[in-house]
Amino acid sequence: MKDNCVFCKIIAGEIPSYTIYEDDDFKAFMDISPASKGHTILIPKQHADNIFDLDETVASKLLPVASKIAKALKAELTCEGLNLIQNNGEIAGQTVFHFHMHLIPRYKDDNVVVKWVQDKYEGEPLDQLSEKIKKHL
Ligand code: 5GP
Ligand code: ZN
């Protein structure tokens, strides 16, 4: 548990939440400021600020849980789609610095905006860039 982390406090029960799923490693609860009906936050219980320090064993268990919750949301809400969004760092829109995934059900004419401009990057050629990145893997 990290001091002054809102999500660690939710895990500890110090801050109440509308929990929809919990196991030894994860907890999922309703977002306090939902972007759409059913907006859910999924977090690992082990604190990590973001994806850059997320334990890879924890990471490997994450998607099966996200998938299970997505299916439950679809079954109950009959949403047409769902965005799985995960922000890392202030520049990427992260405001709570405990790794989390957003599950945002999507409906016709909802007010959710998830957008970037395609073909905006025109810098280094992709053959060179891919080779450089590969070296770190
Ligand atoms: P971020 O911008 O970091 O990706 O998303 C943080 C999310 O956490 C926001 O959607 C925000 O509404 C939600 N949130 C922040 N504080 C609380 C809280 O105390 N309880 C709940 N349930 N959600 C919270
Ligand atoms: Zn935390």
Side-chain angles (χ1 to χ4, degrees):
M1 175 154 176
K2 189 168 177 180
D3 283 353
N4 298 320
C5 172
V6 173
F7 288 173
C8 281
K9 286 182 180 169
I10 286 178
I11 292 161
E14 292 170 19
I15 294 176
S17 66
Y18 293 104
T19 301
I20 62 168
Y21 178 85
E22 186 158 13
D23 64 22
D24 289 346
D25 300 310
F26 300 101
K27 187 176 176 90
F29 51 90
M30 310 311 292
D31 194 295
I32 203 168
S33 307
S36 71
K37 185 179 179 182
H39 182 170
T40 297
I41 298 282
L42 171 61
I43 59 174
K45 288 187 172 175
Q46 185 181 102
H47 179 96
D49 286 353
N50 52 42
I51 198 158
F52 304 120
D53 68 341
L54 184 67
D55 178 88
E56 289 192 6
T57 305
V58 174
S60 73
K61 295 179 185 171
L62 184 67
L63 205 55
V65 177
S67 159
K68 206 190 294 281
I69 294 166
K71 287 167 190 150
L73 291 170
K74 184 154 173 44
E76 176 57 29
L77 304 168
T78 55
C79 47
E80 283 182 37
L82 180 145
N83 287 114
L84 195 56
I85 298 172
Q86 202 277 304
N87 302 323
N88 300 284
E90 208 173 334
I91 197 164
Q94 187 176 9
T95 59
V96 175
F97 296 92
H98 178 129
F99 176 96
H100 54 279
M101 267 185 176
H102 295 265
L103 292 101
I104 305 180
R106 298 301 305 270
Y107 309 92
K108 191 172 184 311
D109 300 326
D110 65 27
N111 292 314
V112 180
V113 181
V114 182
K115 200 167 172 57
W116 61 89
V117 183
Q118 287 190 339
D119 281 338
K120 194 72 183 159
Y121 176 72
E122 293 170 345
E124 200 168 349
L126 300 185
D127 57 345
Q128 289 174 25
L129 188 58
S130 59
E131 287 306 320
K132 285 184 181 173
I133 296 167
K134 252 194 252 180
K135 288 184 198 146
H136 298 280
L137 290 165

